[in-house]
Amino acid sequence: MPEDDPALSAAEQLALARLALAEGDLPHAADHVATALVQAPTLPEVHETLARVAAASGGDLELFPLGHHAFVGAVVARAHLLAAAGRPAEGLDLLAAATGHAPGADWAGVPWVTAPELPERLDPDRTARILMQLCAAVPDPVPRRLRDPLRAYLTLARNAVTVHPGHPLLLGAASALARRLGEATLAVTWAARGVRAQPSKLGEVWLGYAYRSAGRTRDALTALRRAVALDPDDLAVYADIAGTLADHGRLDEALDWIDRALAKDPTFDCAVHTAHRLRFQRDGDPAHLVALADFARDHPDDSHEHGDLAECCRSRPWLGQVTPAGGPVLDALRRALAVEGGARAAVRLDALEPPSAMRTVAAAVPGLDVEVATVADPDPREPRRATTRPLWRYEGTVAAPTLPAPSAEAAERIRQLARPAWPHPPAAYDTAVGLATLELADLLGLLVHPPEAPATALGRVLAGQDPSLWVRCVQVWACLGLLHHRTDEPWAESTRRRVLLELVWGVEDWITECALFALVTAAWVDPAARPDVAGVVAERLADAAAVARERRVPIVVSLAHLALATPDLDPTTRDLARELIRGTVDDRSRPGLFARLRRHLAALFRHP
């Protein structure tokens, strides 16, 4: 990168490049041109200046060096110089690499790439491999917002197919690119021509995928079955057939195909991932997901990245997201937030709500008067078991933290990391390593002194729609951070286990849920901890169920969902959890605010 201000416009970078050229300083001229290419990859003036640098240097490619940490602008500049030097295949290789690095930039939208005569100068096998390289580098399918920068490659594919109309590999690779760019009909046409030109396993797979994208499921399955007949040992195709069948409700057939694949190779990653996903889809038993997480941990060198575990956990309580809290005091909070001008309001509670809920309401709506009619037994202000680390003290029905506020560094760290959703529990654990260097006092302080939400899109949604969800996010991630505290200590005698247990058995609160989730997460990532954690979860849920027979327990449904996410939980506790979920009218099941909030969050977390 040039040393100049990276915020300079492309025009300013080009002006500096021309000054450097005039002074004979070719390296600095090249640096400025490369930066301008990143900012405006199709601007004619950029390419004119690049041509001047090439002419002045005699076409010296080393002005745009490749290396382990090559600048993408230098890679693209070198690609254009290679094409100008009569080596377009090498240039296309570099453009494809740049697209894989930054698919949102129009690196290939230049005349030499889209010229109809270019494919005549390329070996069709090489063109096919370049298209396949592109397909491997971009999402399948490519999101609409990212398709336009890839249109030049589709034009290249059209031109190549016109020049080489019977080349099976080129037709298949072109079909794969067209399919990713939403051109399903074109993808079917090209793939079918490729199979007619030369039947092959790969050609039938491309055709099957094209049919599937076009909504022609029966034809897709027929093509994929032909692929299996041509190569019975390619177990990835078995998994593709199973996935296609499952997507159309034919789960038994799908599992039959997966079982056939596993009979050939019980460790084949695509088949294992698909098998666990489909079995969870069939019976909803999280044991399949835990087994899948174990397999992924024990086989880090799988053939490619899989999304089955994340797909199964998405939007499920505690497996993929924190559950929003409910209750009358939060209903009052949401009503108050919905009133223009924040009019003063009052609410009378039949029973005391969790201290985190009461504190969240007091902070969000200072003018809201809250009166608690009674404090039912068992007294929710008392910890469920004796603790050496109380987080709250009460004056009547008003709770106050017993711990000092966390450091500014801890508050900023949690702002950057906390969010209401995660791919799956092991991924949440891995992300929380960013809190590993925080002191224990800071992690505990965050639980009762949550900082304000960040000034991001997520923070604005949470602050405006439901501040309680941001507080729960902070508490979840602070407890996950506790899992990374003194990890050199053996689990059974560790500080992290002891602290989390005290939080689990402390005053009935949102923190109870979050600490229990941290323990459940520990069980997901450490099989040796599973018997211990399953025992804790069973005890805590049984205690909550017993209390719920005497009075309302606001967190009992959430604890039940946590139990269902716990590895190796005993069947009796699992049945109890299901009964609690079925038998409790949960405020979170109501339409309205949460439906709107979920839509906001879905938009924020939608992946490309």
Side-chain angles (χ1 to χ4, degrees):
M1 286 288 290
E3 295 176 1
D4 305 273
D5 183 357
L8 292 176
S9 69
E12 291 168 320
Q13 293 288 354
L14 292 179
L16 292 172
R18 294 183 191 109
L19 285 174
L21 265 174
E23 296 171 357
D25 188 350
L26 295 181
H28 272 94
D31 284 345
H32 289 298
V33 171
T35 303
L37 263 175
V38 172
Q39 295 169 328
T42 63
L43 186 69
E45 290 85 350
V46 176
H47 291 271
E48 291 168 7
T49 309
L50 175 62
R52 290 180 57 188
V53 171
S57 67
D60 184 5
L61 295 174
E62 294 313 309
L63 286 172
F64 304 97
L66 300 181
H68 187 60
H69 297 292
F71 174 45
V72 66
V75 172
V76 174
R78 189 181 182 106
H80 295 315
L81 292 187
L82 285 166
R87 297 156 65 182
E90 295 174 66
L92 285 171
D93 280 334
L94 292 181
L95 288 185
T99 295
H101 171 74
D106 192 6
W107 305 117
V110 291
W112 72 265
V113 174
T114 56
E117 63 273 13
L118 175 62
E120 297 176 358
R121 302 164 56 198
L122 300 171
D123 177 79
D125 283 340
R126 182 73 174 270
T127 305
R129 287 195 294 273
I130 290 167
L131 296 179
M132 292 164 69
Q133 178 185 350
L134 277 167
C135 290
V138 300
D140 184 10
V142 175
R144 290 184 182 276
R145 68 181 185 278
L146 295 180
R147 289 178 184 176
D148 284 346
L150 301 174
R151 297 292 180 191
Y153 294 115
L154 187 59
T155 300
L156 169 64
R158 289 180 189 272
N159 293 336
V161 166
T162 300
V163 173
H164 304 284
H167 194 283
L169 188 65
L170 175 61
L171 285 162
S175 170
L177 179 62
R179 176 171 56 82
R180 282 168 170 78
L181 295 180
E183 301 284 351
T185 301
L186 182 60
V188 168
T189 300
W190 282 345
R193 282 170 55 184
V195 167
R196 285 196 300 270
Q198 181 181 322
S200 68
K201 184 276 300 283
L202 185 56
E204 294 286 7
V205 169
W206 275 325
L207 180 57
Y209 290 169
Y211 278 137
R212 190 168 63 185
S213 293
R216 297 168 61 176
T217 304
R218 180 179 299 178
D219 292 332
L221 291 169
T222 299
L224 293 174
R225 289 187 181 108
R226 288 196 300 264
V228 170
L230 289 166
D231 184 0
D233 293 325
D234 188 345
L235 302 185
V237 184
Y238 291 64
D240 288 333
I241 292 173
T244 302
L245 288 165
D247 288 343
H248 291 81
R250 298 161 65 176
L251 204 52
D252 290 339
E253 292 176 76
L255 285 166
D256 179 63
W257 274 95
I258 281 300
D259 288 339
R260 288 169 60 183
L262 293 174
K264 288 177 174 287
D265 182 358
T267 65
F268 181 64
D269 57 330
C270 290
V272 172
H273 281 258
T274 303
H276 287 305
R277 173 171 59 86
L278 296 184
R279 286 171 183 149
F280 176 74
Q281 198 173 320
R282 179 182 59 185
D283 60 25
D285 188 346
H288 302 305
L289 305 186
V290 175
L292 178 51
D294 289 348
F295 179 86
R297 183 189 61 249
D298 296 339
H299 298 80
D301 299 323
D302 283 351
S303 60
H304 62 272
E305 185 177 347
H306 296 84
D308 300 83
L309 183 57
E311 179 184 333
C312 292
C313 291
R314 186 179 298 121
S315 300
R316 294 182 180 273
W318 294 114
L319 290 174
Q321 67 177 43
V322 62
T323 59
V329 72
L330 293 184
D331 288 343
L333 166 62
R334 292 158 191 147
R335 287 195 299 271
L337 291 175
V339 174
E340 288 289 337
R344 190 174 181 86
V347 60
R348 186 176 189 276
L349 301 177
D350 291 335
L352 187 62
E353 294 287 299
S356 289
M358 302 290 281
R359 293 274 299 176
T360 298
V361 170
V365 188
L368 185 67
D369 294 326
V370 179
E371 177 188 349
V372 180
T374 61
V375 177
D377 288 326
D379 193 333
R381 298 170 298 184
E382 296 295 330
R384 297 304 300 156
R385 290 187 180 174
T387 177
T388 62
R389 206 181 304 271
L391 301 185
W392 305 103
R393 63 175 179 272
Y394 275 91
E395 292 185 11
T397 58
V398 177
T402 62
L403 303 178
S407 66
E409 178 192 356
E412 183 56 31
R413 195 90 61 86
I414 205 82
R415 279 195 196 95
Q416 295 173 2
L417 190 145
R419 57 199 299 124
W422 45 86
H424 44 73
Y429 175 83
D430 291 342
T431 301
V433 74
L435 303 171
T437 58
L438 294 184
E439 297 293 333
L440 179 60
D442 274 340
L443 291 168
L444 293 173
L446 287 168
L447 295 174
V448 291
H449 296 283
E452 291 185 359
T456 61
L458 170 63
R460 287 190 293 272
V461 168
L462 296 181
Q465 298 274 339
D466 187 359
S468 69
L469 189 52
W470 168 247
V471 173
R472 288 170 71 76
C473 289
V474 171
Q475 292 172 337
V476 164
W477 290 94
C479 287
L480 288 172
L482 287 169
L483 286 181
H484 294 277
H485 182 71
R486 296 185 184 175
T487 52
D488 57 317
E489 298 177 347
W491 173 253
E493 299 83 29
S494 65
T495 302
R496 61 191 185 281
R497 176 184 180 274
R498 184 173 66 253
V499 171
L500 286 168
L501 281 178
E502 291 208 10
L503 297 178
V504 164
W505 290 104
V507 169
E508 187 180 285
D509 189 41
W510 298 346
I511 294 168
T512 309
E513 305 166 57
C514 299
L516 200 64
F517 173 62
L519 289 173
V520 171
T521 300
W524 273 70
V525 300
D526 180 8
R530 287 175 187 170
D532 172 50
V533 171
V536 172
V537 171
E539 283 188 83
R540 189 64 188 87
L541 188 65
D543 180 79
V547 173
R549 288 192 286 270
E550 306 296 327
R551 61 166 171 80
R552 178 175 175 268
V553 178
I555 65 172
V556 70
V557 173
S558 181
L559 296 182
H561 282 298
L562 280 163
L564 294 181
T566 303
D568 296 349
L569 192 70
D570 67 277
T572 301
T573 302
R574 199 169 294 281
D575 289 343
L576 172 61
R578 293 192 182 101
E579 290 174 12
L580 289 169
I581 292 170
R582 283 195 303 266
T584 303
V585 178
D586 188 3
D587 291 319
R588 285 161 289 181
S589 66
R590 298 184 309 184
L593 172 80
F594 288 118
R596 295 195 301 274
L597 184 57
R598 280 193 294 270
R599 287 195 294 271
H600 280 293
L601 295 178
L604 286 173
F605 294 115
R606 190 172 292 121
H607 296 293

